[in-house]
Amino acid sequence: MVHQITREHAEQIFSEYSPFVFQIALLLTKSESLADDITQETFLQVFKKYHTYDRSKSMKPWIYKITLNTMRNMLRKQKWLTFISFEPESSQGNVVEKTIIKEEENEELWEEINRLSIKSKEVIVLHFYSGLKLSEVAEILDIPIGTCKSRLNTALKMLRKRLTKNGALKIRQGGNIYESN
């Protein structure tokens, strides 16, 4: 059975999920303009592929999976454009990113998270900052739960090691900051 989407339902989906999509894209790319492009492209794909959405499952992981695939495709294109000596305009100031970092008072943590590989960064952002369960993260990334746990464990070990040297270890989950002494 093919599911069609009404304009009203599309607007509801966009207004409900676009802030989360933008935040994930911004946290992973560190570029406001690229995050905006990813958000727009993600929702074009969501509406185009709405008929494939399994209504028995939560929509959030499905949308995040599309977001990550869109982000990966755009980053690949951006690397290729850079390779052939064409660099797209970069965002001026990254105002939203700076605001997020200041609000969360975790600049040092974000510096270390941004030094992680994209695979590690995805798991950290989706689990700790978006508050998704590891099973949802695994579904979004299309990897086994064991691989997801392994990536999270590896990322946390790297963060602990790097941040312990600096004397400040803070890991945020669902609005709470956990400090290691």
Side-chain angles (χ1 to χ4, degrees), residues 140-156:
I140 289 168
L141 298 176
D142 199 25
I143 57 175
I145 187 74
T147 302
C148 186
K149 289 178 180 179
S150 175
R151 286 183 187 176
L152 179 62
N153 186 39
T154 301
L156 290 175

Side-chain angles (χ1 to χ4, degrees), residues 18-62:
S18 63
F20 298 112
V21 169
F22 180 82
Q23 181 183 24
I24 292 299
L26 180 64
L27 292 172
L28 292 173
T29 65
K30 298 172 286 191
S31 167
E32 227 181 299
S33 61
L34 189 55
D36 203 28
D37 290 346
I38 290 169
T39 301
Q40 290 177 19
E41 185 62 30
T42 294
F43 282 98
L44 288 174
Q45 292 300 314
V46 165
F47 302 141
K48 182 178 176 183
K49 297 179 179 184
Y50 183 75
H51 67 280
T52 65
Y53 168 62
D54 181 357
R55 292 181 180 203
S56 67
K57 296 182 179 179
S58 172
M59 185 172 278
K60 194 174 191 178
W62 182 71

Side-chain angles (χ1 to χ4, degrees), residues 65-131:
K65 187 173 188 173
I66 293 171
T67 302
L68 291 176
N69 288 337
T70 301
M71 181 202 64
R72 289 174 181 157
N73 288 339
M74 291 184 101
L75 289 176
R76 263 188 243 120
K77 286 178 189 174
Q78 190 176 42
K79 284 181 185 176
W80 175 250
L81 292 174
T82 301
F83 177 70
I84 60 171
S85 299
F86 174 79
E87 296 190 34
E89 293 180 26
S90 62
S91 174
Q92 296 290 325
N94 292 328
V95 176
V96 174
E97 179 190 13
K98 289 177 183 175
T99 302
I100 290 170
I101 291 172
K102 284 179 184 176
E103 286 177 1
E104 296 187 7
E105 300 175 13
N106 285 333
E107 189 171 343
E108 188 174 353
L109 175 59
W110 273 110
E111 287 174 13
E112 294 303 328
I113 288 173
N114 286 323
R115 289 179 55 203
L116 295 172
S117 70
I118 189 70
K119 290 180 179 183
S120 295
K121 196 185 313 183
E122 288 172 347
V123 173
I124 292 287
V125 169
L126 290 172
H127 182 61
F128 287 104
Y129 286 86
S130 294

